[in-house]
Amino acid sequence: MKSSTIRELFLDYFSSKEHLIMPSFPLIPQNDPTLLLIGAGMAPLKPYFTGEKKPPHPRVATCQKCVRTPDIDRVGYTGRHATFFEMLGNFSFGDYFKEEAIAWAWDLVLNGYRLPVERLWVSIYLEDEEAYKIWNENIGVPSDRIIRLGKADNFWEIGLGPCGPCSEIYFDLGEAAGCGSPDCAVGCDCDRYLEIWNLVFTQFSREASGELIELKQKNIDTGAGLERMAVALQGTHSLYETDLVKPLYDHFYSIADPERRNQEVPLRIVTEHSRGTSFLVADGVIPSNEGRGYVLRRLLRRAVRFGKLLGIEGNFMAGAVSLVAETMGSTYPELKERQNYISQVIKLEEQKFQETLVQGMEILDGYIAKMRQEGDKVLPGELAFKLYDTYGFPLDLTSEILEEQGFMVDHSAFDQNLKMQQERARAAARSITGQDYSEKYKIIENMTTIFTGYETLEQEAKLLLTLVDGRLSQKVVEGEQVEILLDQTPFYAEAGGQIGDTGVIEAPDGRIKVENTVFSPWGQIIHQGIVTEGRISPDETVRAKVDSDRRQGICRSHTSTHLLHRALRHTLGDHVNQAGSLVAPDRLRFDFNHFSGMTKEELRAVETEVNKMVLANVAVQAVVTTLEEAKELGATAIFADKYEEKSVRMVSAGKYTRELCGGTHVSATGEIGLFRIVSEEGIGSGLRRIDATVGMNSYHQVVEREQVLERIALALNTAEGLLKEKFNEHLAEHKLLLKSTQELKQRLAGYEVKTLLAEVKEIEGVKLLSAAVSADSFESLRMVMDEVKSNFASVVIVLGAVNDGKVLLVGSVTPDLVDGGIKANEIIKELARRVGGGGGGKPDLAQAGGKDASALPAALDSVEELIRKQLKSVKQV
Ligand code: ATP
Ligand code: MG
């Protein structure tokens, strides 16, 4: 029977018994901070069992994906223990109880799956007479087939609270599968008697006093391993031979070194871990040094290590992701949907570890040889720590290897070293930022926040903590300015010129407006914002939603900087390197080195090239790779940035550009829309800056310009298309008008001078003109004066004009008359006094301004008198 049929049959059977069939929950517990990973069908249903939540239906059945880390050491050594497996289960929340649960399980096993009754055994808890009676009397299982087991095996209990006896169904795989011991029987630890189904009857509650009391609401929780059912139904001896796992086993067998592939345990371990790791990454786990991330890391590193024993080369775990997706993808579509992502995450971790493994193993072998020589049994903690710190050897890997050869690790000395290192890291963080983060923000130092925003803009997450002023706050309420940490978030924290995301975080009883997202000194993602509604507390499940329009605008800008970089290098030369950038919604700034300002033609060429790349609408893709590989592929790196050798993200836009970049991008260049350079300027020696717009921003600017043109066309009373001709027409007309006014002015001035010449009189042999004329500036007033003067060899001229209510005065005396004692500056000074102003100059030329226009005629009349006085005083001397 195919495993897909086994799954279907189970769910159909319980559906016919009025169960609600629920899909598998994710491996990451959704609302349960006490649980690392889902390890049983009942785990995600816990709130229904405790009565904390009302179940959608009193009867539920599921096929739940599970990860059980405690079984990791048994993987490979038994044929029935996996870290990843699927658990079929039926559940009753205070509805049916023991009688139905037992009867249905037996019915399905016997009549649904048609397992031969002579190979079936059952176990009960030794004191559970009720179960015995049901099995023996109701069902008819002979008493010698009902095994009574003790507390350890058949009483389910975790701490205080609900608990109860279990009853299991076993399938006999036959003598050949067993240990051969004379006491081998149901409950033996070997593979012969395979526990396929466990029925848990939650009927008691363990009180603090130690007493067991009967529960009012009795529950049923059963679990049947799908892989184990398949073992029984497919006539195999281990889960590695079932259709769920065999394709993977065969694959690893085929890529293993032919001389070493007969090593069954390593082959099984690699096979088994390939499933769990893929599923964990698919559900959002990322390798790290703690929590779920560590489970994943441990599985991967263990697989890599055993892969080495099999002589398998390369990133074989990443290589198997597609096969996992192929075998399991129809039931778990997330494997197919995220296949690329999964293999990238795995590849990265694998690669990192592959490299350190070789070195680490050598060193550890050295330690072991020395211990052997000196008769030591315990590896000093500091050496284990060095392996951990420098070569990425997890402590349990070190102790596993040591134990295989009969040695041990000093765990507490290891812990001591770890603590000291964390202290050092803290001090370093302080000195880098120059701020004392050890007090404020200290609480977040060892937390992990995962960025999911390359794939999604909206994400359910657990609120890890809320900070006010850098200090932990248990509850924040409306109006408070807060900083929030989530276990995972789609919000991009400001980095590499790209500004931080904004958006909202919705909590069950509140709402936060996220105004910015930044990195902490230790790399955690911090959402900064204000509580706009209600209240928010840690441990709540929230929805984090990035402002998607704004982010899209940012993506457009970011991809554009890459295209601009390439176009600049193309047009100006390969010396062009990015020196900095600002990536904002639909607006970008790009700083680069170049020795001179760009010409209009160069700017146009660059803008055109970028727009061509946009119109080509090539795909923009990001891959995680090593620095070395990225360099080989010709990726551009930014000078000032530091990259990790072993893991870089390379963003490419078709064949146009490849850059190392952690930012977010559009998925195809066409999304950028119109790219427009707004300005180009120098910002320091050899540094230039381009400001540009993209998307709707460019469009709006074009529209604005068009409106200006429209207005001009309207004013010129013409169509926009004729604007150029119309403008040239106007320009020509304007020139003509200028010319003719110039001529007119000259002619007018000529007439005026003629009139003025007629007004010249003679006082005591001195020719004098003192008159008011029309002039709008000193300059034109002087021009008239010069014109008059040119008609005489010896003359005194004083001219006045009124312009805009102000008086202008100029005066000139020919040198001969200056010698004779007439001084222009003195005359003008006196006149200025009379018109309420001031001025000055020299004896031959002077000018002044005044405010009292009405006093001008009298002032001009007084010049004759002034000259007489001056002449007189000279004679007296
Ligand atoms: P075992 O004693 O064989 O480890 P268990 O008592 O731990 O099993 P349960 O916790 O009762 O198992 O889980 C319910 C069912 O899930 C089991 O009857 C078995 O079919 C399946 N199962 C449990 N652990 C594993 C595992 N590590 N790999 C595959 N299937 C498992
Ligand atoms: Mg177990």
Side-chain angles (χ1 to χ4, degrees):
M1 189 182 289
K2 282 205 297 195
S3 56
S4 54
T5 316
I6 301 174
R7 211 187 275 121
E8 251 165 59
L9 218 56
F10 186 93
L11 297 175
D12 286 350
Y13 181 83
F14 283 101
S15 177
S16 78
K17 304 288 179 208
E18 286 153 51
H19 285 63
L20 170 73
I21 309 303
M22 292 177 82
S24 174
F25 292 83
L27 284 169
I28 300 178
Q30 296 302 288
N31 272 311
D32 193 345
T34 65
L35 212 56
L36 205 56
L37 290 162
I38 297 297
M42 68 80 68
L45 306 171
K46 226 163 75 182
Y48 305 143
F49 282 111
T50 57
E52 189 188 310
K53 259 196 197 160
K54 195 177 156 349
H57 197 73
R59 301 175 181 188
V60 165
T62 60
C63 177
Q64 174 66 46
K65 43 186 177 180
C66 297
V67 166
R68 262 193 200 186
T69 3
D71 284 346
I72 192 168
D73 296 322
R74 311 208 67 188
V75 169
Y77 298 93
T78 78
R80 64 188 196 281
H81 286 99
T83 52
F84 174 86
F85 62 96
E86 291 172 79
M87 195 187 285
L88 301 159
N90 57 296
F91 311 94
S92 155
F93 311 111
D95 191 43
Y96 63 85
F97 198 52
K98 239 178 249 190
E99 216 166 304
E100 295 88 335
I102 291 175
W104 289 338
W106 195 249
D107 182 34
L108 179 57
V109 164
L110 230 54
N111 305 315
Y113 292 136
R114 302 195 164 277
L115 282 173
V117 71
E118 65 277 9
R119 294 177 70 174
L120 292 174
W121 293 73
V122 302
S123 75
I124 56 164
Y125 175 53
L126 47 87
E127 290 170 12
D128 193 356
E129 293 310 326
E130 192 186 358
Y132 178 81
K133 268 174 84 182
I134 297 169
W135 280 118
N136 187 243
E137 292 171 18
N138 299 15
I139 309 275
V141 176
S143 61
D144 63 349
R145 283 281 171 134
I146 305 173
I147 310 298
R148 288 174 189 259
L149 295 175
K151 246 203 168 93
D153 283 303
N154 272 7
F155 195 90
W156 180 83
E157 175 167 29
I158 352 173
L160 301 180
C163 57
C166 312
S167 179
E168 301 158 318
I169 301 176
Y170 287 83
F171 183 78
D172 182 2
L173 288 177
E175 235 171 289
C179 55
S181 146
D183 349 298
C184 181
V186 168
C188 177
D189 208 28
C190 75
D191 272 342
R192 172 164 181 182
Y193 295 98
L194 178 69
E195 177 196 322
I196 51 174
W197 201 340
N198 187 7
L199 318 175
V200 182
F201 314 124
T202 333
Q203 64 189 106
F204 302 116
S205 175
R206 175 72 70 186
E207 295 302 287
S209 61
E211 199 187 354
L212 276 185
I213 60 163
E214 212 44 60
L215 281 173
K216 264 199 240 95
Q217 180 193 311
K218 291 180 182 137
N219 299 320
I220 290 292
D221 150 29
T222 89
L226 174 67
E227 292 77 2
R228 292 195 187 175
M229 276 298 186
V231 169
L233 286 161
Q234 294 174 6
T236 71
H237 284 171
S238 84
L239 60 93
Y240 301 95
E241 299 155 75
T242 64
D243 64 341
L244 286 161
V245 191
K246 190 159 189 298
L248 285 160
Y249 181 91
D250 290 348
H251 164 72
F252 288 114
Y253 182 86
S254 76
I255 61 171
D257 178 353
E259 309 229 311
R260 304 199 221 172
R261 58 164 67 130
N262 58 346
Q263 303 180 81
E264 181 67 5
V265 172
L267 207 49
R268 283 177 166 190
I269 288 176
V270 172
T271 303
E272 202 285 320
H273 291 356
S274 72
R275 299 208 314 152
T277 50
S278 291
F279 271 93
L280 284 169
V281 179
D283 274 359
V285 181
I286 291 187
S288 77
N289 272 338
E290 60 196 6
R292 292 165 199 128
Y294 183 64
V295 171
L296 172 62
R297 173 160 284 174
R298 190 169 168 210
L299 289 175
L300 264 172
R301 293 188 166 182
R302 201 158 177 264
V304 170
R305 188 176 146 247
F306 282 96
K308 271 258 156 2
L309 287 181
L310 294 165
I312 304 179
E313 301 293 331
N315 302 315
F316 65 94
M317 288 298 280
V321 171
S322 57
L323 190 55
V324 175
E326 205 177 294
T327 39
M328 307 288 290
S330 55
T331 319
Y332 300 98
E334 64 268 27
L335 290 174
K336 281 198 172 145
E337 282 157 17
R338 310 193 77 190
Q339 189 179 318
N340 281 341
Y341 168 77
I342 299 169
S343 58
Q344 270 162 30
V345 170
I346 291 183
K347 183 174 163 195
L348 201 64
E349 175 69 10
E350 198 175 4
Q351 227 155 24
K352 253 203 285 201
F353 189 60
Q354 293 264 23
E355 285 159 23
T356 55
L357 185 65
V358 181
Q359 292 168 286
M361 279 302 279
E362 261 169 37
I363 291 172
L364 184 54
D365 284 346
Y367 293 161
I368 291 174
K370 193 152 171 257
M371 283 180 352
R372 222 172 240 137
Q373 211 173 32
E374 291 170 8
D376 287 338
K377 280 274 155 234
V378 183
L379 180 74
E382 67 193 71
L383 294 184
F385 180 75
K386 194 176 162 198
L387 273 171
Y388 163 83
D389 197 32
T390 326
Y391 302 99
F393 260 49
L395 180 62
D396 48 46
L397 179 61
T398 305
S399 53
E400 203 175 298
I401 296 169
L402 285 171
E403 275 162 31
E404 277 166 14
Q405 310 197 36
F407 298 94
M408 283 165 53
V409 177
D410 182 348
H411 281 253
S412 68
F414 175 89
D415 291 343
Q416 194 65 35
N417 276 278
L418 186 64
K419 232 188 231 141
M420 268 156 55
Q421 192 219 36
Q422 282 166 350
E423 196 49 56
R424 282 195 298 276
R426 205 169 290 146
R430 267 203 296 277
S431 64
I432 290 166
T433 58
Q435 218 171 331
D436 191 1
Y437 280 96
S438 64
E439 281 313 312
K440 277 190 173 190
Y441 297 104
K442 178 176 180 171
I443 184 102
I444 68 172
E445 182 181 344
N446 293 313
M447 298 199 136
T448 308
T449 57
I450 293 164
F451 178 62
T452 59
Y454 291 135
E455 284 89 27
T456 180
L457 293 179
E458 201 178 318
Q459 158 95 45
E460 189 139 291
K462 201 181 94 181
L463 201 149
L464 296 177
L465 51 79
T466 52
L467 299 168
V468 174
D469 262 344
R471 290 195 176 80
L472 199 61
S473 175
Q474 277 310 321
K475 192 172 77 186
V476 290
V477 294
E478 194 173 321
E480 267 184 295
Q481 203 72 38
V482 293
E483 290 177 305
I484 302 280
L485 262 76
L486 303 178
D487 64 342
Q488 41 188 334
T489 177
F491 282 77
Y492 183 90
E494 182 180 337
Q498 181 174 333
I499 62 175
D501 276 335
T502 64
V504 292
I505 293 175
E506 292 169 356
D509 303 311
R511 196 179 160 87
I512 297 160
K513 184 171 158 227
V514 179
E515 289 158 337
N516 195 14
T517 310
V518 296
F519 276 120
S520 81
W522 303 285
Q524 289 90 354
I525 298 167
I526 302 181
H527 308 82
Q528 301 175 323
I530 186 164
V531 183
T532 53
E533 263 171 51
R535 61 197 71 236
I536 284 106
S537 356
D539 282 339
E540 286 180 337
T541 299
V542 298
R543 258 202 112 63
K545 297 181 182 172
V546 173
D547 179 339
S548 56
D549 285 348
R550 183 172 174 277
R551 163 72 88 78
Q552 184 60 17
I554 292 171
C555 291
R556 277 193 285 268
S557 296
H558 205 151
T559 309
S560 305
T561 62
H562 291 203
L563 302 183
L564 176 59
H565 194 181
R566 132 107 186 194
L568 283 169
R569 290 188 133 207
H570 219 193
T571 309
L572 303 179
D574 278 344
H575 60 278
V576 170
N577 261 303
Q578 179 171 353
S581 69
L582 170 75
V583 176
D586 280 2
R587 181 171 71 83
L588 60 108
R589 164 171 293 173
F590 189 85
D591 298 342
F592 59 101
N593 51 332
H594 184 53
F595 28 80
S596 62
M598 289 172 70
T599 64
K600 278 208 169 64
E601 292 70 34
E602 285 169 338
L603 283 169
R604 187 63 68 206
V606 166
E607 195 180 71
T608 305
E609 188 175 344
V610 171
N611 280 304
K612 276 186 180 163
M613 292 187 272
V614 168
L615 285 179
N617 197 27
V618 295
V620 180
Q621 278 161 330
V623 292
V624 178
T625 177
T626 59
L627 188 56
E628 200 182 331
E629 198 181 328
K631 278 182 181 159
E632 258 168 45
L633 289 167
T636 321
I638 299 170
F639 268 162
D641 285 8
K642 277 203 198 107
Y643 297 96
E644 248 191 73
E645 287 284 322
K646 283 153 198 152
S647 128
V648 293
R649 187 166 178 268
M650 184 174 73
V651 174
S652 57
K655 291 213 173 72
Y656 295 137
T657 77
R658 284 202 177 103
E659 283 197 27
L660 299 186
C661 176
T664 65
H665 290 270
V666 294
S667 49
T669 54
E671 288 168 45
I672 291 170
L674 179 59
F675 173 86
R676 289 187 78 232
I677 292 178
V678 176
S679 64
E680 189 268 352
E681 61 185 331
I683 51 161
S685 75
L687 275 185
R688 313 293 308 171
R689 167 171 291 173
I690 282 182
D691 276 286
T693 59
V694 291
M696 286 308 276
N697 198 3
S698 291
Y699 172 73
H700 289 316
Q701 288 202 1
V702 171
V703 168
E704 225 167 79
R705 295 198 151 212
E706 203 160 280
Q707 280 169 345
V708 171
L709 282 182
E710 263 169 36
R711 259 177 262 135
I712 295 173
L714 199 68
L716 290 180
N717 195 23
T718 185
E720 256 173 80
L722 299 173
L723 209 48
K724 206 168 144 193
E725 286 101 83
K726 190 76 178 179
F727 181 72
N728 284 336
E729 247 171 59
H730 274 268
L731 206 62
E733 208 173 307
H734 177 76
K735 272 185 192 156
L736 271 177
L737 285 173
L738 265 184
K739 209 174 149 200
S740 61
T741 37
Q742 197 61 38
E743 280 170 10
L744 280 172
K745 268 188 187 165
Q746 272 173 7
R747 270 170 48 204
L748 270 174
Y751 282 129
E752 200 162 23
V753 171
K754 265 186 201 155
T755 337
L756 287 173
L757 288 178
E759 287 179 33
V760 174
K761 43 184 140 176
E762 237 183 84
I763 313 133
E764 297 183 24
V766 174
K767 286 200 170 77
L768 167 69
L769 171 65
S770 168
V773 299
S774 66
D776 54 7
S777 66
F778 280 113
E779 203 188 353
S780 48
L781 199 55
R782 272 199 310 267
M783 262 163 62
V784 176
M785 186 168 72
D786 288 345
E787 196 65 38
V788 175
K789 199 173 157 188
S790 65
N791 290 287
F792 301 93
S794 169
V795 68
V796 175
I797 306 168
V798 177
L799 295 177
V802 177
N803 182 47
D804 240 0
K806 287 196 184 85
V807 178
L808 308 174
L809 286 166
V810 292
S812 134
V813 177
T814 48
D816 59 313
L817 296 177
V818 173
D819 288 344
I822 303 172
K823 299 205 164 62
N825 50 345
E826 278 171 18
I827 298 170
I828 291 295
K829 199 171 156 196
E830 177 55 23
L831 260 57
R833 194 186 59 77
R834 292 180 182 222
V835 298
K842 291 184 195 132
D844 63 333
L845 186 68
Q847 71 181 42
K851 285 174 286 204
D852 188 2
S854 65
L856 183 62
L860 288 170
D861 281 349
S862 73
V863 175
E864 199 180 313
E865 183 61 34
L866 286 171
I867 289 176
R868 282 186 209 280
K869 265 191 201 156
Q870 286 185 344
L871 290 173
K872 207 170 172 185
S873 65
V874 171
K875 277 180 195 158
Q876 276 171 355
V877 169

